[in-house]
Amino acid sequence: MTTTIDPPERRETAVDKLRNGRAAVADRWHHAPRWVRWVLLAAVIVFFYALPNKEFYQYLGPIPTPGANFTQVLFTVSIYVLLAVGLNIVVGFAGLLDLGYFGFFAVGAYTVAVLTSPSSNLKTLWPWLLVVPIAIALTMVSGVMLGTPTLRLRGDYLALVTLGFAEMIRIAAVSSTFLKGQRGFSEIPHPPGKYADGRPFFGVLDARPYYWLVLTLIILVVIGVRNLTHSRVGRAWISIREDEDAAQLMGVPTFKFKLWAFASGAAIAGLAGALFAGKQNFVNSQNFELLNSIIILAAVIFGGSGNIVGAIVGGGLVAYMIERFRGIELFGIELYEYRFLFFGLVLVIMMIFRPQGLIPNRRRAAEFKDRRKEVIVGE
Amino acid sequence: MSDTEQTPAVPAQAAAPAVETVREREPLLEVDHVTLRFGGVVALNDVDFTLYKGEILGLIGPNGAGKTTCFNAMTGIYQPTEGQIRFRGEKISGKKRHQITRMGMARTFQNIRLFPEMTALENVQVGADAHHKTSVISALLRLPRHWKEEREGREKAERLLEFVGIRKRMHEFARNLSYGEQRRLEIARALATDPVLLCLDEPAAGFNPAEKEELLQLIRQIRDQGVTVLLIEHDMRLVMGVTDRIVVLEFGKKIAEGLPAEVRDNPKVVAAYLGVPDDAA
Ligand SMILES: Nc1ncnc2c1ncn2[C@@H]1O[C@H](COP(=O)(O)OP(=O)(O)O)[C@@H](O)[C@H]1O
Ligand SMILES: [Mg+2]
């Protein structure tokens, strides 16, 4: 008995230290005067709006990426941040292990492609802006359709079904003639808007406007998500993550709120997909590898699931690190080729120091044991 | 010893009217010949009793007698194999768990089951949310309903934390509370759902005599506010001290029912508890 009790205790202290460290930072933040918080927040936002300008980032030392256009990288990173914020609702708050989140991104991107591109069979050629709300709505619908049968199940089933969903979308993209496979959709229109001299604001060469657009939407989405998490909805989500049975018995309509978590997460992914398609001009089946789902999940866990700031930082860092590896050679091999080894390592380290990161599995396991104790031993 | 002298006083007062009027009183919960099997195990065997509005009913019995299973059947976790349970005249079976809660039944757990990574306040707010209507749209757009319910829920939660005596700890994570505080928090969370019937599953487990006495006081106060209480308890003395009537289970069967004094002297009950050391006796 004592040997089994010892190791968890030691781990507890390491975890506690980390928790307390984060708590201390959060504490200082929450106890800072209101104006200090606003000034800091404003400074961070201004920094990120300024970041894609060469006049600014050239002074930032090693931060700009050597192997890729830095503003392009920033756009990619911003899309990942948006995705991490969305997945964090599902995994971090509601505790639902969604392994196929990127599938919703694909639904968003393909909706835009099919309805706007001249290569589409539909030939609707609608403008981008009109299609964005349609893409979001369709992604939400696909989230509800996937969630309705599966969210009644618990734990591992959901992980499997979502994994299957993303793979299904990918295979449909590869092999269906309607979705054009590798050939893809070209000439997807850009977002509207012109400079004073008539040049389009959202052009082909300059990635900055797209990045600014995504950054602005991230801010709006974060405000929205915060409104949700600081309300009955967020409490319901967290209570489901913490103990689904107890939540039901305290009057939480758990199925309804799980579905909402799924639908909100999907909507954000759909928005990200629509933004991606609008920038990329071209969408084909190669954009939607399964690995992307795993990367976003890793980002959410890395940042500390159930924490909006954590998801932003996690998504940003993970996506940035991947790009930062480009163009750096180690023993003659580009470090970029090692990127997934790096993720494996990060995940292993996270599991050691922040095992509560993967809350759904671990807590469910512990809960299951508790329940058996309660019903079977009666003590 | 002083509490043993006090305790007969309370049921004596309550017992006198209870005997005459119990039949005329409004039944709140009817457990109607319920049998519940788990494979070969008969956890409940034709259990039949009625709980009347305003009383404190004790559900006692040795370990494994089926008390927790009875709660689980009442709150919709298990469906009875035979028989049925009616709450406020409506059948429980087929109802969702959160609907049963909204009908006015709330419970605590033998193994504490709080939301560990939520604060004490938030735990109680979840309970208060049982009757709230705010959903994604009102929360997202911060509509007036959100603000109104948020304010009400918060006030109610603070009031209940004060009532169970842990208001000072309201911003603490539930997992950081002491054992006794967690038990109290469970009661506050259950009360926040505005129950007509509060089911407490061994709420005093692991308490010392002083803490038990405080809990007794709390249970009486809850009843005095018009909440009917169903109390599972091992400690016979505690049960005698606070309940109006007692139902005794053994091996899933009801072996006795009646006033505390009757039950205590019932030879079957004595036999069931015989050999169970002082903790339970
Ligand atoms: N889910 C279950 N599966 C199998 N047996 C169970 C289950 N739940 C309870 N039991 C059995 O039912 C009996 C009553 O258990 P319980 O209601 O927990 O007793 P008590 O709460 O009175 O101590 C025990 O024999 C227990 O093993
Ligand atoms: Mg029990």
Side-chain angles (χ1 to χ4, degrees):
Chain A
M1 274 318 271
T2 45
T3 48
T4 55
I5 287 167
D6 265 2
E9 266 177 7
R10 214 177 303 129
R11 196 168 51 204
E12 270 293 305
T13 58
V15 169
D16 280 351
K17 218 179 280 172
L18 239 145
R19 265 181 182 156
N20 295 341
R22 206 175 61 168
V25 173
D27 216 47
R28 194 167 296 173
W29 171 258
H30 287 297
H31 285 95
R34 180 167 271 240
W35 68 268
V36 172
R37 283 189 277 169
W38 280 113
V39 166
L40 278 175
L41 195 63
V44 169
I45 290 174
V46 167
F47 173 84
F48 280 104
Y49 272 105
L51 196 52
N53 295 302
K54 185 137 208 278
E55 300 76 25
F56 181 60
Y57 71 70
Q58 64 183 336
Y59 299 110
L60 293 178
I63 289 180
T65 44
N69 177 328
F70 187 52
T71 48
Q72 297 286 349
V73 167
L74 283 177
F75 172 77
T76 309
V77 169
S78 65
I79 289 285
Y80 271 92
V81 168
L82 193 53
L83 287 168
V85 170
L87 183 60
N88 186 43
I89 296 177
V90 184
V91 176
F93 284 103
L96 304 164
L97 192 54
D98 181 350
L99 294 182
Y101 188 65
F102 213 68
F104 296 119
F105 177 82
V107 171
Y110 269 108
T111 307
V112 169
V114 166
L115 292 175
T116 65
S117 165
S119 13
S120 159
N121 295 349
L122 292 187
K123 297 275 182 284
T124 42
L125 300 179
W126 288 344
W128 181 83
L129 198 57
L130 172 74
V131 178
V132 172
I134 300 176
I136 294 173
L138 262 181
T139 325
M140 267 182 107
V141 169
S142 66
V144 170
M145 271 164 52
L146 183 65
T148 305
T150 46
L151 289 174
R152 296 181 198 279
L153 309 171
R154 292 200 182 174
D156 304 340
Y157 294 104
L158 185 68
L160 284 177
V161 171
T162 50
L163 193 65
F165 163 74
E167 200 47 13
M168 214 175 73
I169 300 278
R170 192 186 65 81
I171 290 171
V174 169
S175 55
S176 105
T177 48
F178 185 69
L179 295 179
K180 305 271 172 219
Q182 285 255 16
R183 279 195 0 262
F185 296 85
S186 51
E187 291 175 68
I188 296 168
H190 296 294
K194 281 184 171 45
Y195 285 105
D197 60 9
R199 276 183 307 127
F201 188 54
F202 295 93
V204 182
L205 293 177
D206 190 2
R208 286 179 308 171
Y210 298 97
Y211 166 77
W212 285 324
L213 176 64
V214 181
L215 189 58
T216 308
L217 286 167
I218 289 174
I219 293 170
L220 292 178
V221 166
V222 165
I223 292 170
V225 173
R226 230 193 83 96
N227 280 356
L228 291 180
T229 56
H230 286 63
S231 77
R232 174 177 183 237
V233 179
R235 279 192 297 273
W237 285 339
I238 300 174
S239 71
I240 291 167
R241 178 191 78 197
E242 295 287 293
D243 188 334
E244 191 168 344
D245 287 316
Q248 285 176 336
L249 291 166
M250 291 308 131
V252 178
T254 52
F255 177 68
K256 172 181 154 185
F257 280 111
K258 285 200 283 185
L259 209 52
W260 266 120
F262 226 62
S264 329
I268 293 172
L271 172 66
L275 288 164
F276 174 81
K279 150 106 179 17
Q280 226 55 13
N281 197 256
F282 176 70
V283 166
N284 78 354
S285 60
Q286 280 180 324
N287 296 130
F288 308 104
E289 292 301 324
L290 195 61
L291 217 41
N292 292 314
S293 290
I294 307 301
I295 291 176
I296 303 163
L297 187 63
V300 169
I301 293 164
F302 178 75
S305 51
N307 182 314
I308 300 176
V309 178
I312 295 171
V313 172
L317 275 183
V318 165
Y320 170 73
M321 289 311 273
I322 294 179
E323 297 298 330
R324 189 68 185 72
F325 285 163
R326 265 191 227 268
I328 303 176
E329 291 210 346
L330 196 70
F331 308 121
I333 303 173
E334 203 182 13
L335 212 49
Y336 184 70
E337 302 294 327
Y338 287 121
R339 63 196 188 280
F340 295 113
L341 180 70
F342 168 77
F343 279 115
L345 275 176
V346 167
L347 278 182
V348 169
I349 292 167
M350 292 313 293
M351 285 308 102
I352 293 169
F353 289 103
R354 254 195 76 96
Q356 79 271 31
L358 255 188
I359 289 164
N361 285 338
R362 293 197 145 236
R363 181 153 292 135
R364 289 250 163 80
E367 215 180 88
F368 185 60
K369 262 191 231 142
D370 273 2
R371 212 176 304 144
R372 281 178 73 87
K373 247 193 289 171
E374 177 168 336
V375 291
I376 291 173
V377 187
E379 184 48 81
Chain B
M1 274 300 103
S2 60
D3 54 335
T4 41
E5 284 163 20
Q6 285 179 353
T7 45
V10 176
Q13 288 168 351
V19 184
E20 261 101 317
T21 56
V22 102
R23 302 271 169 254
E24 297 138 41
R25 271 204 268 169
E26 192 185 331
L28 185 63
L29 178 85
E30 296 153 88
V31 177
D32 186 358
H33 295 282
V34 166
T35 298
L36 206 152
R37 290 194 198 93
F38 296 109
V41 181
V42 186
L44 295 176
N45 188 351
D46 200 29
V47 172
D48 188 76
F49 66 88
T50 302
L51 181 60
Y52 296 94
K53 221 173 182 162
E55 69 177 344
I56 302 182
L57 182 76
L59 186 60
I60 67 169
N63 238 322
K67 307 182 296 291
T68 299
T69 305
C70 190
F71 266 28
N72 287 343
M74 285 160 43
T75 47
I77 295 180
Y78 300 139
Q79 296 297 327
T81 321
E82 283 160 43
Q84 56 168 254
I85 298 171
R86 281 184 303 275
F87 179 56
R88 308 176 89 173
E90 284 187 59
K91 260 196 279 181
I92 285 297
S93 70
K95 288 226 157 56
K96 299 219 171 66
R97 295 175 190 178
H98 68 264
Q99 290 171 328
I100 298 174
T101 307
R102 276 188 222 172
M103 283 171 69
M105 196 190 308
R107 67 173 286 180
T108 66
F109 301 86
Q110 185 172 356
N111 305 355
I112 297 170
R113 290 182 72 170
L114 291 162
F115 308 122
E117 300 264 328
M118 296 177 94
T119 64
L121 183 70
E122 287 165 342
N123 266 274
V124 185
Q125 281 178 297
V126 170
D129 283 337
H131 296 283
H132 287 168
K133 301 231 154 42
T134 299
S135 189
V136 170
I137 304 300
S138 352
L140 192 64
L141 304 177
R142 307 262 115 166
L143 299 183
R145 175 197 275 165
H146 161 82
W147 293 115
K148 179 170 159 283
E149 292 187 344
E150 204 67 6
R151 198 178 51 244
E152 283 172 3
R154 166 90 189 222
E155 276 164 14
K156 185 198 232 176
E158 286 189 32
R159 190 158 28 79
L160 285 167
L161 286 169
E162 177 84 55
F163 175 65
V164 300
I166 55 170
R167 177 161 176 185
K168 287 194 305 291
R169 307 276 281 155
M170 68 180 183
H171 293 304
E172 208 56 71
F173 276 129
R175 67 174 151 81
N176 292 340
L177 297 181
S178 75
Y179 177 80
E181 287 167 338
Q182 292 193 0
R183 284 241 173 258
R184 287 160 181 277
L185 179 54
E186 267 211 329
I187 295 176
R189 184 180 66 173
L191 285 174
T193 66
D194 287 334
V196 182
L197 170 61
L198 178 66
C199 307
L200 302 169
D201 197 346
E202 305 207 17
F207 276 15
N208 65 35
E211 289 170 323
K212 282 186 181 176
E213 186 50 42
E214 276 180 54
L215 184 78
L216 251 149
Q217 223 45 57
L218 196 67
I219 294 174
R220 287 202 195 97
Q221 277 176 290
I222 291 170
R223 194 263 309 265
D224 292 344
Q225 288 168 15
V227 179
T228 309
V229 178
L230 180 55
L231 174 68
I232 290 184
E233 188 45 62
H234 247 100
D235 185 336
M236 283 281 251
R237 220 174 45 193
L238 189 89
V239 180
M240 297 297 154
V242 73
T243 51
D244 301 315
R245 282 188 317 128
I246 291 180
V247 168
V248 189
L249 293 181
E250 189 192 16
F251 297 123
K253 276 192 112 118
K254 184 177 87 175
I255 57 169
E257 178 177 1
L259 300 177
E262 298 167 6
V263 165
R264 187 177 45 200
D265 300 332
N266 185 317
K268 276 196 196 160
V269 179
V270 174
Y273 270 87
L274 215 65
V276 183
D278 48 313
D279 153 289

